[in-house]
Amino acid sequence: MKFQNYWRRVEVAGTVHKVAISAIICDAPARAFLKCVKGHTGFYGCERCCQRGVYLNSKVVFNECDAELRTDDTFKNRNQKDHHLANSPLENIQNFGMVSQFPLDFMQQVCLGVMRRLLLHWIKGSNSCRLSPRERLGISERLNSIRNLTPSEFNRIPRGLDTVERWKANEFRLFLLYTGPYAVSSYVKQKLYDHFMILHVAIRILCSNEMAVGHCEYAKQLLHSFVSAMTMNYGPDSVVYNIHNLIHTADDVKFMSAPLQDFSCFPFENMLGQIKRIIRTANNPLSQLTRRLAESNAMCLGEGSSGDLKVRRDPLTGKVFEVSNKEITLSTCKDKNAYVMLKDKRVLRIEEMHFSERDSQLSDLVLVGPVFKYYENYFIYPCESSKLSIFKAWDISASVDSVMFVNIYKKCFVIPKGNHFIVYPLLH
Ligand SMILES: [Zn+2]
């Protein structure tokens, strides 16, 4: 992520720290509070463009897709007075962009905003888009059927649609980026499925380390067409604040030069989860937290530089059956952790692992197993899935390949469907 700003010197208790603000990441009400502007339910609430929202069916909707954009300068010059409530103290920071350095948060806006709303349209929306109880059950069965196939890198596994009101942001992200197309195909009407696929592809591009910056203009076009078609598919009051903001999402990726997930609330939310797990009782939570963190740091120091790599071996044969660190888990015995995509885009199922030289060095790990023989596009709308390294694969080879860890492109989420497998490379 690039730093647009200058370093600043901040003195705390006699110590000088160098601080640079890259971006302020928070949800829409907190952004409005910090910027001292109208909230997301206000007529002039869009932080990125100057359109006046329209009140419809107890909601404020933003139907224009090409309104004049707000910039750091127009914000500073108060070009649209109705947007502002007061002067924010943050405006006193030199060279700080009050528009550009407040990115829209992927977790709140896209996962908890757009994906949740789309699912609620399907579950209890108008007749034209609502699913029948049989269709909802079919989708839930598909989601439940892949619970054991969800790689360990996801901290939540799929749940049925009957629990959607209680889904966490991670579950909406999993649905949007991986499981949704498989779960809803043939249940959701073709027109709505194609519309969802536009969102699926655009957000996968914007979350990809390799594609986000280079292809953000294409993703922006896709999101424009997704938002434009919302009214036709889900009614005139469907383009609310979060849906409308999709047309501005790609601009943040371009400005930050980083994929969406790199400047979202997800890391903070995950850390909060860890903190909650550390605290055992209601007494002195802060003391408990500092002690547990100090213990954890001491343990890491004791383990040395490769200490975070865990290698599990069969006690009888001594063969490695699982290797894991904070980022990745590979296993020979669990399907959910057994598939990797190689740099030549073939997909290998791990059947054996060993270290070529230094034990416990991931770079010396050798993976042995068969690869799929045949690959095809899993979908072709709005673009060929192979462009995103997503494939339909079948017929696993009888012979085995042996590859070094450095030749792995990504670990994969593999979903069986009929006589083939759907292969999604992980984005994180
Ligand atoms: Zn706008």
Side-chain angles (χ1 to χ4, degrees), residues 46-49 51 244-245 247-248:
C46 181
E47 295 165 62
R48 299 313 179 87
C49 70
Q51 73 174 286
H244 164 73
N245 264 324
I247 67 168
H248 303 307

Side-chain angles (χ1 to χ4, degrees), residues 309-313 320-324 355 359-361:
L309 189 72
K310 289 182 188 147
V311 181
R312 298 179 69 193
R313 295 171 189 275
V320 178
F321 69 88
E322 189 172 285
V323 173
S324 63
F355 290 92
D359 228 15
S360 305
Q361 285 289 332

Side-chain angles (χ1 to χ4, degrees), residues 156-185:
R156 286 184 184 270
I157 53 177
R159 287 194 280 176
L161 290 187
D162 50 324
T163 60
V164 95
E165 304 269 13
R166 299 193 297 279
W167 281 17
K168 301 287 185 190
N170 274 313
E171 292 171 281
F172 289 111
R173 176 171 62 171
L174 179 63
F175 188 91
L176 172 59
L177 297 176
Y178 300 93
T179 60
Y182 159 73
V184 303
S185 71

Side-chain angles (χ1 to χ4, degrees), residues 398-425:
S399 58
V400 294
D401 275 40
S402 182
V403 294
M404 296 294 294
F405 182 80
V406 289
N407 290 320
I408 294 177
Y409 167 59
K410 298 273 181 189
K411 184 176 168 180
C412 294
F413 189 166
V414 174
I415 302 170
K417 187 182 183 191
N419 55 1
H420 61 263
F421 295 83
I422 304 161
V423 181
Y424 270 88

